[in-house]
């Protein structure tokens, strides 16, 4: 199977009522773990890279690692997604390097830290959609800013994230604006703000409705029943990995992620893509610390990297099963970017929205 448009995977997930974990990748071991878990569970795959990951790994290295995954697992459909593109130029660069999907994060200005106006967001997202859809590439937009409803602060990931205090209006996506945004931009997927954030330190206590607004997903889904919703910052921060890290010298304080059961509620309300990065970072760190402690004289990098693949693979397999994507890879009929470009041109994939008054 060649790389496929992300819209193909999201449409299949919607038709069959499941969610897709989207894993951030920087290196070979992460990709190997994700693909081994996908093979084991027969799951479709979204591999995504931030601007920071593209800079760290190098454009050619990262592209060829993902192409190696396609070659090694020809029966598994894979989408290659640019995460948090800060500007149209970043998205165009990703397309030139083979990405089959891009995120235009117009919730922030091009500096990646200043909250943007609604009109700015619509304008830059629409610009990217026109170019991307002309060549069959999928587009994810974002409305609202990622950040904590406990602290009212934004967060940063690879240098991208709102700075300073935010308002409740910025931290929770407005359903009326969501309808208008989708109608005007024609995005394939919409990332919404519900109180999740990047990193391990999402919540200081087990999240409830006042700091994790799953009900906002339900409300937006009622207004946009045909739009693929996206949850960012949705790692669950497994306690067993934190225990291993701290047992072998780590100093991660008590913290809580997004409970899997809350993500599952979101999937029932139209969430089709769930972004996960921190859980795999924690798996790598736990494996490294444990291996180094148990054999302190060992200096072979493979001694640390092999267990990291094992720990990440378990995380990924768990999410494939928990989100319902397991068993679906071989059910997806491959379609190319050219085929999707023709569909966009004919209006076959136009966003259909429910009237804002028909709640």
């Amino acid at each position: 199977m060649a790389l496929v448009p992300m819209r193909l995977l999201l449409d299949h997930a919607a038709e069959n009522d499941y969610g897709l974990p989207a894993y951030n990748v920087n290196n070979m071991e992460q990709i190997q773990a994700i693909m081994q878990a996908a093979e084991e569970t027969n799951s479709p795959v979204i591999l995504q890279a931030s601007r920071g990951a593209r800079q760290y790994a190098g454009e050619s290295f990262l592209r060829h690692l993902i192409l190696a995954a396609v070659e090694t697992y020809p029966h598994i459909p894979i989408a290659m997604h640019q995460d948090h593109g800060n500007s149209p130029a970043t998205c165009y660069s990703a397309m030139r390097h083979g990405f089959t999907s891009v995120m235009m994060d117009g919730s922030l200005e091009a500096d990646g830290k200043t909250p943007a106006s609604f009109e700015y967001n619509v304008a830059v997202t629409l610009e990217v959609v026109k170019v991307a859809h002309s060549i069959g590439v999928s587009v994810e937009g974002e409305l609202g800013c990622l950040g904590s409803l406990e602290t009212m602060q934004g967060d940063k990931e690879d240098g991208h994230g709102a700075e300073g205090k935010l308002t409740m209006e910025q931290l929770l996506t407005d359903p009326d604006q969501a309808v208008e945004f989708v109608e005007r931009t024609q995005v394939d997927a919409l990332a919404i703000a519900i109180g999740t954030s990047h990193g391990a330190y999402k919540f200081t206590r087990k999240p409830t409705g006042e700091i994790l607004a799953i009900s906002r997903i339900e409300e937006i889904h009622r207004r946009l029943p045909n739009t693929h919703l996206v949850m960012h910052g949705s790692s669950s921060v497994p306690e067993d990995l934190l225990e291993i890290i701290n047992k072998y010298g780590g100093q991660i304080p008590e913290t809580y992620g997004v409970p899997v059961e809350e993500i599952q509620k979101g999937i029932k309300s139209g969430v089709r893509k769930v972004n996960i990065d921190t859980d795999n970072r924690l798996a790598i760190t736990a494996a490294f610390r444990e291996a180094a402690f148990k054999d302190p004289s060992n200096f072979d990098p493979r001694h640390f990297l092999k267990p990291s693949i094992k720990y990440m693979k378990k995380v990924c397999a768990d999410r494939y099963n928990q989100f319902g994507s397991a068993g679906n890879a071989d059910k997806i009929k491959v379609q190319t970017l050219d085929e999707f470009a023709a569909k966009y041109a004919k209006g076959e994939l136009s966003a259909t929205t429910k009237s804002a008054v028909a709640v």
Side-chain angles (χ1 to χ4, degrees):
M1 277 185 185
L3 288 170
V4 300
M6 189 172 73
R7 175 69 182 266
L8 174 68
L9 304 186
L10 299 182
D11 283 350
H12 190 270
E15 290 164 7
N16 295 278
D17 199 27
Y18 65 89
L20 286 157
Y23 297 109
N24 285 72
V25 296
N26 300 272
N27 61 27
M28 180 181 74
E29 286 75 20
Q30 288 176 312
I31 294 173
Q32 288 178 324
I34 293 163
M35 295 309 303
Q36 287 175 18
E39 165 82 352
E40 184 178 279
T41 60
N42 186 25
S43 299
V45 173
I46 300 175
L47 298 176
Q48 60 185 25
S50 65
R51 283 185 298 144
R54 291 169 63 189
Q55 292 168 357
Y56 169 79
E59 298 283 8
S60 294
F61 281 102
L62 189 60
R63 180 174 71 253
H64 284 284
L65 284 172
I66 293 175
L67 291 176
V70 174
E71 182 178 333
T72 306
Y73 300 91
H75 52 292
I76 296 177
I78 301 172
M80 182 177 174
H81 179 70
Q82 160 72 58
D83 190 28
H84 286 291
N86 65 311
S87 68
T90 297
C91 295
Y92 302 153
S93 170
M95 294 179 217
R96 286 199 305 272
H97 285 92
F99 284 73
T100 62
S101 178
V102 296
M103 179 191 186
M104 178 60 240
D105 184 0
S107 69
L108 303 176
E109 295 181 5
D111 62 7
K113 60 184 180 181
T114 305
S117 69
F118 179 76
E119 289 301 327
Y120 171 89
N121 194 351
V122 168
V124 294
T125 304
L126 178 57
E127 180 183 338
V128 170
V129 166
K130 288 178 178 178
V131 173
H133 284 182
S134 72
I135 57 174
V137 171
S138 312
V139 180
E140 174 185 335
E142 179 166 322
L143 188 60
C145 298
L146 289 184
S148 170
L149 292 174
E150 287 187 282
T151 66
M152 305 301 288
Q153 296 273 355
D155 76 340
K156 278 188 175 294
E157 182 80 356
D158 288 341
H160 186 98
E163 289 188 345
K165 284 280 186 181
L166 298 173
T167 66
M168 188 66 74
E169 289 71 25
Q170 290 171 319
L171 288 168
L172 289 175
T173 301
D174 178 82
D176 288 336
Q177 284 194 337
V179 172
E180 182 181 353
F181 185 82
V182 171
E183 287 178 340
R184 292 175 62 182
T185 65
Q186 292 293 301
V187 289
D188 298 285
L190 179 65
I192 57 176
I194 57 169
T196 57
S197 56
H198 293 133
Y201 308 109
K202 301 180 189 300
F203 307 103
T204 61
R205 54 191 168 89
K206 189 171 182 178
T208 59
E210 62 187 48
I211 58 174
L212 178 60
I214 296 297
S215 61
R216 186 58 59 103
I217 298 175
E218 297 165 354
E219 187 176 357
I220 292 171
H221 181 56
R222 282 197 297 271
R223 308 291 284 276
L224 290 168
N226 303 306
T227 296
H228 304 309
L229 302 181
V230 181
M231 287 178 65
H232 280 239
S234 293
S235 286
S236 297
V237 189
E239 290 184 11
D240 59 331
L241 295 178
L242 297 181
E243 289 176 5
I244 293 172
I245 291 169
N246 289 340
K247 178 180 179 180
Y248 296 110
Q251 295 182 3
I252 297 181
E254 185 177 50
T255 181
Y256 295 87
V258 182
V260 168
E261 57 268 24
E262 296 298 321
I263 297 173
Q264 291 170 331
K265 288 180 185 177
I267 291 170
K268 291 179 181 178
S269 294
V271 169
R272 298 299 159 221
K273 176 173 176 278
V274 183
N275 285 16
I276 296 173
D277 187 7
T278 293
D279 285 352
N280 278 341
R281 293 187 184 195
L282 292 172
I284 292 172
T285 303
F288 273 37
R289 285 190 172 277
E290 183 178 45
F293 183 89
K294 290 185 175 180
D295 190 359
S297 65
N298 200 312
F299 56 88
D300 185 345
R302 292 168 295 185
H303 172 70
F304 310 102
L305 293 168
K306 285 182 179 179
S308 78
I309 295 173
K310 176 183 175 182
Y311 280 20
M312 283 189 287
K313 177 184 173 183
K314 181 182 184 306
V315 168
C316 295
D318 285 346
R319 299 298 177 269
Y320 284 131
N321 284 305
Q322 292 159 340
F323 297 172
S325 36
N328 282 289
D330 60 5
K331 297 176 183 177
I332 298 173
K333 182 180 178 181
V334 172
Q335 296 180 54
T336 66
L337 291 179
D338 287 343
E339 288 175 297
F340 263 70
K343 288 185 176 186
Y344 286 123
K346 294 175 182 176
E348 294 178 11
L349 300 176
S350 297
T352 55
T353 60
K354 198 173 184 178
S355 171
V357 297
V359 180

